[in-house]
């Protein structure tokens, strides 16, 4: 989900050197370059639980008009033959599925072994650390290229609604 591979951290959408080449860049684009919206991890695992751990680059977890789940939380999707990609929002093992602090957020979700997983990173916060864990002896493998044959996603810039803010997910 990143436009460039050589950013300051793996969780920045656009690096500073790329911002300098994109002219003119408004303050909105520059201000959101270090946020992780649109960056995702796609994999399959044989585990029956997935544990996610992440630390945020900004202590501002939410906005007055948007909860911490959207600003600083993670979105998890699973693939089912019946429904395609489906948001997972009801099988959390840990009591809360949203960030409560800047560093050391952890939650665990029950998983159907062999079912593909897609995790989107926070919309309006950046990450300083991110990890996916499974039980010892279990495996995580990247998903193969998208079935459409498209190896790179389409990248576009739009308003906060396009971004996923206060509406749904990107």
């Amino acid at each position: 989900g990143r436009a460039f591979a050589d950013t300051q951290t793996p969780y920045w959408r656009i690096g500073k050197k790329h911002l300098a080449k994109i002219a003119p860049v408004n303050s909105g684009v520059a201000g959101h370059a270090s946020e992780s919206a649109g960056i995702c991890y796609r994999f399959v695992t044989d585990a029956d639980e997935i544990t996610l751990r992440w630390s945020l680059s900004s202590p501002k977890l939410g906005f007055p008009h948007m909860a911490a789940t959207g600003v600083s939380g993670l979105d998890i999707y699973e693939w089912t033959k019946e429904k395609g990609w489906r948001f997972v929002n009801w099988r959390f093992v840990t009591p809360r599925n949203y960030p409560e602090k800047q560093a050391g957020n952890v939650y665990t979700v029950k998983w159907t072994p062999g079912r593909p997983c897609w995790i989107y990173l926070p919309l309006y916060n950046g990450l300083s650390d991110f990890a996916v864990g499974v039980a010892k002896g279990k495996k995580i493998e990247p998903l193969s290229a998208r079935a459409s044959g498209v190896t790179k996603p389409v990248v576009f810039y739009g308003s906060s609604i396009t971004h996923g803010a206060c509406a749904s997910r990107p």
Side-chain angles (χ1 to χ4, degrees), residues 18-94:
H18 300 289
L19 283 172
K21 294 178 184 177
I22 304 169
V25 175
N26 67 38
S27 61
V29 172
H32 293 294
S34 64
E35 295 165 356
S36 59
I39 298 175
C40 61
Y41 289 88
R42 300 170 62 242
F43 60 89
V44 67
T45 180
D46 59 351
D48 62 0
E49 286 186 352
I50 300 170
T51 298
L52 307 170
R53 185 189 73 226
W54 74 108
S55 294
L56 300 155
S57 57
S58 170
K60 190 169 187 175
L61 303 182
F63 298 145
H65 64 286
M66 187 174 182
T69 51
V71 175
S72 303
L74 306 173
D75 282 343
I76 305 171
Y77 293 83
E78 66 181 350
W79 175 263
T80 67
K81 288 183 180 181
E82 302 81 26
K83 297 183 180 184
W85 286 107
R86 184 177 81 80
F87 177 64
V88 175
N89 66 347
W90 50 275
R91 296 182 299 170
F92 292 96
V93 175
T94 48

